[in-house]
Amino acid sequence: MESIIQIKGEVNFQITLDPTVWIFDDRKIDLDQYFTEKHVEIDADEEYIEKAGKFWSREIMEGATFPPTLKTERKFDRQKMMSGTFGIKIEPFIQNAEPKTGATSIIFGTQSGEQHSFPIEEAKTFIFQFSQEGKMLSQDGPVYLLFNDGSNLENPIKGITSLEVK
């Protein structure tokens, strides 16, 4: 089984994705909590401004902090990484591929040769599940396709190997 996914078709940039490295991506989603807790979409610019404001407030109140103390502030929860179920939103990958103006749909291809077609705007809301209980999806992987509302959580589209923009 190959663990890469290709974005091809009517795009300005054909992209190859490697789900094996997403475990270290800050954009990953903990699927154990995502579909059970209420989540709010956060504007990236608003989040940046808020973080920058907190940083500067801290600098003013406490003074500058120099390494190595900054290294200890961010810790990975290794136990969670080794036992959690994670996914990642598809939208950034579609945006980076830059679908051409006339493109209207995305066809998700699977290992078994099945094709699942969705409008681009709907497909942007989907999530790629790339791990289950801390393990890669090696049997039916490299990723599962989940709808944002979790309606296919029990029966995801498995074995996604390509995205073709039409």
Side-chain angles (χ1 to χ4, degrees):
M1 178 201 84
E2 285 194 34
S3 62
I4 61 168
I5 302 166
Q6 295 181 330
I7 300 178
K8 56 190 176 185
E10 295 185 38
V11 293
N12 290 326
F13 305 102
Q14 291 192 8
I15 297 176
T16 302
L17 305 174
D18 183 0
T20 61
V21 299
W22 291 344
I23 192 71
F24 302 108
D25 196 313
D26 290 338
R27 299 172 293 182
K28 74 178 174 283
I29 300 167
D30 183 350
L31 295 177
D32 293 329
Q33 297 175 355
Y34 185 79
F35 293 112
T36 58
E37 295 179 357
K38 193 172 188 177
H39 53 277
V40 180
E41 293 296 322
I42 299 172
D43 181 25
D45 291 337
E46 187 176 314
E47 182 181 23
Y48 171 77
I49 291 169
E50 183 178 330
K51 284 183 179 181
K54 286 181 182 179
F55 172 79
W56 286 111
S57 293
R58 179 177 169 188
E59 289 287 312
I60 291 169
M61 299 297 284
E62 299 176 12
T65 310
F66 298 101
T69 58
L70 289 178
K71 290 180 183 176
T72 61
E73 289 182 16
R74 181 168 177 191
K75 296 180 181 177
F76 289 104
D77 186 355
R78 289 182 188 215
Q79 183 63 30
K80 184 67 177 166
M81 288 172 66
M82 295 173 61
S83 63
T85 300
F86 295 102
I88 195 164
K89 292 193 177 209
I90 297 173
E91 184 176 19
F93 305 121
I94 295 172
Q95 286 178 336
N96 287 341
E98 292 183 9
K100 293 184 179 174
T101 307
T104 59
S105 65
I106 296 181
I107 300 171
F108 293 89
T110 66
Q111 287 178 342
S112 62
E114 295 178 18
Q115 294 186 337
H116 304 272
S117 181
F118 298 95
I120 288 180
E121 292 307 313
E122 182 182 358
K124 284 181 179 180
T125 66
F126 294 164
I127 298 169
F128 278 147
Q129 178 182 343
F130 61 87
S131 77
Q132 178 76 35
E133 297 174 357
K135 308 280 189 266
M136 283 181 25
L137 303 174
S138 56
Q139 178 115 0
D140 297 325
V143 296
Y144 297 167
L145 184 66
L146 300 173
F147 302 145
N148 194 42
D149 63 1
S151 61
N152 72 333
L153 189 59
E154 297 300 319
N155 189 21
I157 300 172
K158 297 181 178 184
I160 301 295
T161 56
S162 67
L163 281 76
E164 185 171 356
V165 179
K166 292 270 183 173

